Structure formats: structure tokens, C-alpha cells
Amino acid sequence: MKKIFYGMAAWSIVAGAACSRIDANTSNTVPTTDAYAATVTATNAATGMVGVGGSTVDAYVAPGTTSNVAGTGTMRYGTRNITEATFLMEAASGSMMEVQLGKLALERSANSEVKKFAQMLVDHHTKAHQELITIASGMNITLPSSLLPMHQELADQLSKLTGNEFDKEYIDEIEDVHESDIALFDVVSNAAPTTTVKAFAIRTLPVLRIHEHQADELEAKVSK
């Protein structure tokens, strides 16, 4: 897997991937409506909590900075503060990109496993995007109707490839994208002030982790 991550969010993996977590109490009290997510939530919950003087430390907050506290309206993601609106817009663009690239893979790949994986991403991210539309509408937030620049750049890059070259680059990039998404969703799952936003991040995180894991396994196969 390449260690070159896309967009503004990418570098955060370096600081936080090893400490990715979902707060156990929160994830257990917010119900999930996604049966797929429910089957894997238990194995992904409550990891990476670091105790300091009896308290917990957020992996994405540098010493001396403001921690992620629900109700503040902003969340600390790496070196930047993000709002729920920022998260919803980036997540919506990311889901649209996943669907677009998945459909491209269905057209261009001759690998049955890559196609099966791509169809899964199309299905899951189509559903996620519809959820995002509902959440954003209830918060009077307008989501982008086209890809954000960081996502459009990747879509343009992959659209130039075909055959096995496409498969290798597609799986490689999808793995990196999901690592970045996991870091972002992890922050939001612990710190979002609004329950619906927090619940969405919590129930989506396990699915993203499964996607990343499957991409990692496929990478070894398409690289041969």
C-alpha cells in the first residue's frame, strides 16, 4: 500500500491510525440500523484509549490544544478544526467518489473479485450518501452536488487507466482513502455535538474498517 494519502485529511493517519478508537459507551448506546455494521461493531469498539491520570486522551489532539468536547461545535482533526458541516460535506463528496469509482471498476476491471468489491462499495456508499442527505437536510446544510477537488483529482487520475493497471491503482487508492476516512469518522464518532451526526459516524466506522481490510487483502492479489 502506498503511503501517499489524498486531500487535506490524509496526513492525519500518521498521527492517529495506531490509536483509532470508538468510545465503547457511546457506540453501545446509539442504535444501528445497518445489519452489516452491527455484525462487526463489537470487534472494532473501544480500541486505542490511552489513560493519563485516570482520564482518556484523544489521539488527534496535540498536547496543549483544546480537546474534542461535544457541544463546542468544532472538532479537532489533526491540525485543523472541523465543524459538523465540514464533515458532512467531505463525507458526501467521498461517498459520491466511491460510487463513481466503483461503477468505473465494474466497467473496466476483468477481475471478478475486484468487481465484487466495487459493487459492495457502490451499494454501501449509495446508502451512506442517502443518509447524509437526510441528516444534512435536517440541519439546513447544503451538501455538494459534485466532487470536492481532492476527490475529483483521484477520480480523474483513475479514469485514465485500464486493465490490470487500473485494478492495482484502484485498490491501492481505495485502501488509502478508507484509512483517511476511518481517521475522520473516528474523530466525529467521539466528538460530534449533534446526536444524528455522531450516530452516523459510529455505525459507519465498522463498515469503513471492513472495506479497508478487504482492500488490503485484494491489493496483494492484484499486485501479482
Side-chain angles (χ1 to χ4, degrees):
M1 176 186 60
K2 292 186 304 183
K3 293 303 176 184
I4 302 175
F5 304 117
Y6 77 103
M8 297 178 291
W11 61 269
S12 296
I13 302 302
V14 177
C19 300
S20 181
R21 65 179 174 86
I22 304 176
D23 182 270
N25 294 325
T26 302
S27 61
N28 287 335
T29 56
V30 179
T32 175
T33 57
D34 192 318
Y36 180 76
T39 62
V40 293
T41 297
T43 60
N44 290 284
T47 60
M49 297 294 286
V50 181
V52 178
S55 63
T56 57
V57 176
D58 194 301
Y60 298 93
V61 178
T65 62
T66 303
S67 64
N68 290 334
V69 179
T72 61
T74 61
M75 296 166 281
R76 188 70 174 174
Y77 177 44
T79 59
R80 65 178 175 128
N81 291 323
I82 61 169
T83 64
E84 289 179 319
T86 301
F87 165 70
L88 293 174
M89 288 187 285
E90 291 185 6
S93 176
S95 285
M96 287 191 293
M97 180 191 70
E98 295 270 12
V99 172
Q100 182 175 321
L101 293 181
K103 290 179 178 179
L104 188 63
L106 291 172
E107 294 175 1
R108 298 195 177 183
S109 179
N111 186 307
S112 61
E113 290 189 72
V114 171
K115 285 190 171 185
K116 182 178 179 181
F117 177 69
Q119 185 62 62
M120 178 184 70
L121 294 188
V122 170
D123 294 342
H124 289 174
H125 284 282
T126 296
K127 178 180 178 180
H129 191 257
Q130 290 303 313
E131 288 189 64
L132 286 164
I133 291 174
T134 300
I135 294 169
S137 176
M139 298 174 69
N140 294 318
I141 295 171
T142 301
L143 298 180
S145 58
S146 58
L147 301 185
L148 295 175
M150 61 182 179
H151 297 131
Q152 187 61 58
E153 181 180 355
L154 180 54
D156 291 343
Q157 174 185 330
L158 288 172
S159 67
K160 301 173 184 178
L161 306 177
T162 57
N164 191 54
E165 185 181 11
F166 170 84
D167 287 346
K168 290 180 179 179
E169 191 69 13
Y170 170 65
I171 296 300
D172 192 36
E173 295 291 353
I174 286 298
E175 185 179 8
D176 286 348
V177 164
H178 276 84
E179 287 188 344
S180 294
D181 286 347
I182 288 167
L184 175 60
F185 275 68
D186 182 66
V187 168
V188 176
S189 74
N190 286 287
T194 305
T195 300
T196 51
V197 176
K198 192 170 190 174
F200 172 76
I202 287 170
R203 66 174 175 266
T204 303
L205 253 175
V207 181
L208 295 174
R209 287 182 171 129
I210 291 296
H211 291 174
E212 190 277 332
H213 177 69
Q214 293 185 358
D216 183 51
E217 291 185 329
L218 268 179
E219 184 181 33
K221 296 178 180 180
V222 300
S223 296
K224 293 180 180 179

